[in-house]
Amino acid sequence: RVLTLLPATDGVQLISTSRHITQGWVDLIAQRYDETSNTYKGASKLVKDDPYELRFVFPQEKNFAIKKAAARNSSGSLPVRVSNHQGWATVQILSQRTAEASWEVVFEPSDIYHYPTREPANLSAERAGLDGVILRWSPQYYLNAGYRVYLNGKVVGHTSNTSFPAPGLDPLATYTAEVQTVWEDGSASERKAELKFTVRALLPDELFLSDIEPLRASRVEMNRSVSGSPMSVGGKRYERGVGGRLNSEVEYDVKGLCGSLTARVGIDDAANSESASAEFSIIGDGKELWNSGPVKKSDGLKPLTVDLTGVHKLLLRVNSRAGGNGRGGADWVDARISISQK
């Protein structure tokens, strides 16, 4: 798909042509719009037997129709075909030889059809991470061009889908979400679907770290080892967790919402050396909260539980020890956080 963007004006605009992907740069020689007479005049380079199309758009809240159109080259008049739509119109020109042609298109005001849109139904909020939601609503039987989404009375975006992501919220704040149905001309439903929510109330008692988007991550993978295969320690596979290389780290913003972190740590079976050794550490707001000491591949998994009360920035770090050259894998198996009482 090719999208052409122009600054909005109060008049008719030629937004694209059919000759080339550059939408007029190759073929369009000249164009001029006379607002007083609603007339577009121009010249284009046409290709023999290739239908050439001029595409016009109209400003929001106004509608026009092509009253008449004409095109000619040095041999005389050329056949044209007009197609009028709400909000846009086209003129197709056919030339029997490759040559330059001049054209003129005259527009006249036309009625706008306003479809009486209705507000969406069944608005709900689904948690996304620790500080966001995905707003969802039911598909509508009634015609519409899309939806306008509000948070606390302010427009935050538009969508043609029946869902809208709202990240970066205050988990403890109460929000009012509203969704309004929009018609092609920008008119909207009189009513809005409305929902009050807090992210905190949507949080489960426990979350896997791999379900949260990290602030930053260096040399890590979610729910697999850094080799791309499932995490495996001591010959047993694990589906959930954070897999990292020796000398890796991943940081999360846990918003001070957590009670504790539980996990098991170990050297992945894909490590290139049986003597591979690593040191796992957990840092909360710049302070080390837990350190594993040396963990060898032969040690299997080492369990941990760390208090995260009041912690905002959570950092998981793996440092290589003797025998580790950064190529091996170090896994945080089943790493999950509990959410403090609401």
Side-chain angles (χ1 to χ4, degrees):
R1 296 181 180 181
V2 178
L3 302 181
T4 305
L5 303 179
L6 293 177
T9 70
D10 290 331
V12 179
Q13 290 181 276
L14 175 62
I15 196 167
S16 72
T17 70
S18 62
R19 165 82 186 271
H20 192 268
I21 194 171
T22 53
Q23 303 293 284
W25 184 80
V26 168
D27 50 285
L28 195 60
I29 301 170
Q31 62 165 318
R32 181 172 61 85
Y33 176 58
D34 183 352
E35 190 172 354
T36 58
S37 62
N38 290 329
T39 301
Y40 242 109
K41 293 183 179 181
S44 300
K45 298 177 182 178
L46 275 57
V47 176
K48 177 182 177 181
D49 295 331
D50 180 34
Y52 179 73
E53 194 169 80
L54 299 165
R55 296 152 178 169
F56 300 91
V57 290
F58 312 138
Q60 194 170 345
E61 300 296 344
K62 292 183 180 180
N63 198 41
F64 293 86
I66 295 175
K67 183 178 181 180
K68 62 179 181 178
R72 61 183 300 113
N73 59 20
S74 58
S75 299
S77 297
L78 300 175
V80 298
R81 187 169 68 181
V82 169
S83 182
N84 286 310
H85 308 270
Q86 178 154 306
W88 58 287
T90 64
V91 174
Q92 189 180 91
I93 307 170
L94 187 62
S95 176
Q96 294 183 344
R97 63 189 181 93
T98 298
E100 294 181 6
S102 61
W103 46 264
E104 179 180 271
V105 184
V106 181
F107 296 86
E108 60 183 354
S110 180
D111 292 335
I112 298 178
Y113 175 64
H114 293 275
Y115 187 84
T117 56
R118 296 191 182 186
E119 75 278 9
N122 302 318
L123 178 60
S124 64
E126 174 187 310
R127 177 196 59 81
L130 292 174
D131 64 349
V133 298
I134 299 175
L135 299 172
R136 300 187 187 277
W137 52 93
S138 298
Q140 288 190 290
Y141 168 78
Y142 305 99
L143 294 175
N144 68 83
Y147 305 92
R148 183 179 300 140
V149 182
Y150 302 76
L151 273 182
N152 292 345
K154 295 182 178 180
V155 176
V156 292
H158 298 77
T159 179
S160 58
N161 301 316
T162 55
S163 64
F164 187 85
L169 305 179
D170 180 348
L172 304 180
T174 299
Y175 290 89
T176 299
E178 296 171 296
V179 180
Q180 196 174 28
T181 308
V182 180
W183 181 238
E184 290 177 350
D185 59 6
S187 62
S189 57
E190 291 185 8
R191 297 182 180 180
K192 304 171 187 171
E194 182 177 315
L195 174 71
K196 292 185 182 295
F197 69 91
T198 63
V199 177
R200 180 69 171 270
L202 299 173
L203 292 175
D205 294 333
E206 205 171 52
L207 274 172
F208 283 103
L209 272 184
S210 55
D211 290 338
I212 304 173
E213 187 72 24
L215 284 177
R216 61 184 181 89
S218 171
R219 300 156 64 89
V220 300
E221 297 285 348
M222 301 299 162
N223 297 325
R224 60 181 179 177
S225 72
V226 290
S227 66
S229 58
M231 291 178 292
S232 175
V233 180
K236 184 176 180 180
R237 288 189 172 188
Y238 298 91
E239 299 298 326
R240 305 301 297 266
V242 180
R245 292 192 183 279
L246 304 183
N247 301 318
S248 65
E249 59 183 33
V250 56
E251 184 178 24
Y252 298 89
D253 185 356
V254 294
K255 310 288 183 183
L257 297 173
C258 300
S260 63
L261 166 68
T262 60
R264 289 175 288 169
V265 298
I267 305 300
D268 194 89
D269 289 338
N272 60 314
S273 172
E274 288 301 319
S275 61
S277 177
E279 184 179 76
F280 296 78
S281 57
I282 297 174
I283 295 97
D285 294 332
K287 180 182 178 181
E288 186 172 76
L289 305 178
W290 178 85
N291 188 289
S292 67
V295 177
K296 300 178 182 178
K297 187 174 182 180
S298 58
D299 291 337
L301 288 172
K302 184 174 184 176
L304 66 96
T305 300
V306 178
D307 184 11
L308 296 182
T309 302
V311 170
H312 285 258
K313 298 296 173 62
L314 173 66
L315 179 67
L316 308 186
R317 178 180 290 155
V318 180
N319 288 325
S320 176
R321 300 280 292 194
N325 57 10
R327 296 181 183 176
D331 300 332
W332 302 80
V333 173
D334 293 332
R336 66 186 81 193
I337 54 173
S338 67
I339 305 301
S340 56
Q341 282 193 338
K342 303 169 186 177

